[in-house]
Amino acid sequence: MGRGRVVLERIENKINRQVTFSKRRSGLLKKAFELSVLCDAEVALIIFSSRGKLFQYSSSDISGIIERYRQCRYNKLSQTGNLFDQQSQEFLKLKVKYESLERTQRHFQGEELEPLGMKELMNLEKQVERTLAQARQLHMKKLITRQAELSEKVHEDQELNKKLKFKLRDEFPDLIAEHNNPIHELNEVQAINQFQSETLLNNTRMFEHHNQEGKASGTRQQDGQSSHDRNNNGWLV
């Protein structure tokens, strides 16, 4: 039966804690010794118990190992510090450049111009004029390109229209002849004129009908008013 999982937390019982410390300490010292022998490594192990008692192991002079550790640690910190200084300088440069660009953008937008002198305002005006000229030139270039594309498209549509006309003339000659016949065009004009005349006549009739209804309504209102006046005067209705 295997051992259960050990919970990594402080052992409350003093006796059990002392026993566990002794076992684990011996095992750790043994592992350090094996590592130094098997791998030819310099190993230094320092342990302080909860009562402040020192236990140590070193494959060679422990003072030399500690001094070597301090030297390596110092060099690493120095390299890290130099790298940090370089990054800080780069950050400051980028920050200054960003603030300058942001300030220039505000000047182009017409903001914060009061602190600028005459020379700076003249330079800003020249930059704005140069930028405007370049923008207009590019705009005109794009317009010319777009016009050429549209002209080419119109030409292609005209060519396609001609091809379709020829194809329609070859496949349906009777329909084309009837369509080009002056009598056919005259009949179309007569039909349009007849439709317009009928529409005008219907509108006139509708207008007269509305006028007649309005007159009849006015007559009924006058008759009703006369009857009301007669009743007020004592006449019979």
Side-chain angles (χ1 to χ4, degrees):
M1 185 174 180
R3 291 164 48 182
R5 177 179 294 181
V6 178
V7 180
L8 294 179
E9 61 182 10
R10 185 175 182 273
I11 301 174
E12 298 296 335
N13 190 284
K14 287 185 178 182
I15 298 175
N16 293 339
R17 185 167 62 243
Q18 185 64 32
V19 172
T20 303
F21 174 77
S22 299
K23 291 182 178 179
R24 297 295 178 100
R25 182 198 63 204
S26 301
L28 187 58
L29 292 173
K30 181 180 178 181
K31 292 293 184 182
F33 170 74
E34 292 176 354
L35 180 63
S36 64
V37 173
L38 295 175
C39 302
D40 193 19
E42 284 191 278
V43 179
L45 177 61
I46 300 174
I47 302 174
F48 288 97
S49 67
S50 59
R51 297 180 179 180
K53 189 176 180 179
L54 173 63
F55 301 91
Q56 66 180 22
Y57 167 79
S58 62
S59 58
S60 59
D61 184 16
I62 191 170
S63 299
I65 297 176
I66 293 175
E67 184 63 27
R68 184 177 178 184
Y69 165 77
R70 289 177 177 174
Q71 188 66 31
C72 293
R73 183 66 176 171
Y74 174 78
N75 293 335
K76 187 175 181 180
L77 289 175
S78 300
Q79 294 176 0
T80 306
N82 294 333
L83 180 61
F84 178 76
D85 292 339
Q86 293 177 0
Q87 293 177 351
S88 299
Q89 292 177 1
E90 292 293 331
F91 174 75
L92 292 176
K93 291 180 181 179
L94 292 176
K95 184 179 180 181
V96 172
K97 187 175 182 180
Y98 170 77
E99 291 177 352
S100 177
L101 292 175
E102 192 176 23
R103 184 168 53 255
T104 303
Q105 183 179 3
R106 288 196 297 268
H107 291 166
F108 276 118
Q109 294 175 353
E111 300 175 358
E112 299 181 4
L113 299 178
E114 291 80 5
L116 299 180
M118 293 294 298
K119 186 176 181 180
E120 294 176 341
L121 289 174
M122 291 178 63
N123 293 333
L124 180 62
E125 184 178 0
K126 291 180 180 179
Q127 291 178 2
V128 171
E129 291 177 354
R130 192 183 307 113
T131 303
L132 183 60
Q134 292 177 356
R136 287 176 177 173
Q137 184 179 2
L138 182 60
H139 187 206
M140 185 60 64
K141 184 178 179 181
K142 290 187 176 182
L143 286 177
I144 294 173
T145 304
R146 183 59 178 169
Q147 182 181 3
E149 293 176 355
L150 292 176
S151 299
E152 185 178 358
K153 181 65 175 178
V154 170
H155 180 70
E156 292 177 356
D157 292 341
Q158 290 177 351
E159 294 294 330
L160 181 61
N161 190 18
K162 290 181 181 179
K163 292 180 181 179
L164 291 176
K165 282 184 178 180
F166 291 144
K167 185 176 181 181
L168 187 63
R169 185 180 299 172
D170 295 338
E171 295 181 358
F172 305 98
D174 298 336
L175 181 61
I176 298 299
E178 183 181 357
H179 181 73
N180 295 329
N181 192 355
I183 298 177
H184 178 72
E185 295 179 356
L186 180 62
N187 291 334
E188 289 182 353
V189 173
Q190 291 177 353
I192 294 174
N193 292 333
Q194 183 178 0
F195 174 75
Q196 292 178 350
S197 300
E198 291 179 355
T199 303
L200 180 61
L201 180 61
N202 291 331
N203 291 335
T204 303
R205 290 176 180 176
M206 186 178 298
F207 180 74
E208 291 177 353
H209 178 69
H210 285 304
N211 287 337
Q212 291 177 359
E213 288 184 352
K215 291 180 180 180
S217 176
T219 303
R220 286 194 296 270
Q221 290 179 358
Q222 291 178 359
D223 294 341
Q225 185 66 28
S226 299
S227 300
H228 180 71
D229 293 339
R230 290 177 182 178
N231 288 333
N232 292 334
N233 293 328
W235 295 353
L236 294 176
V237 180

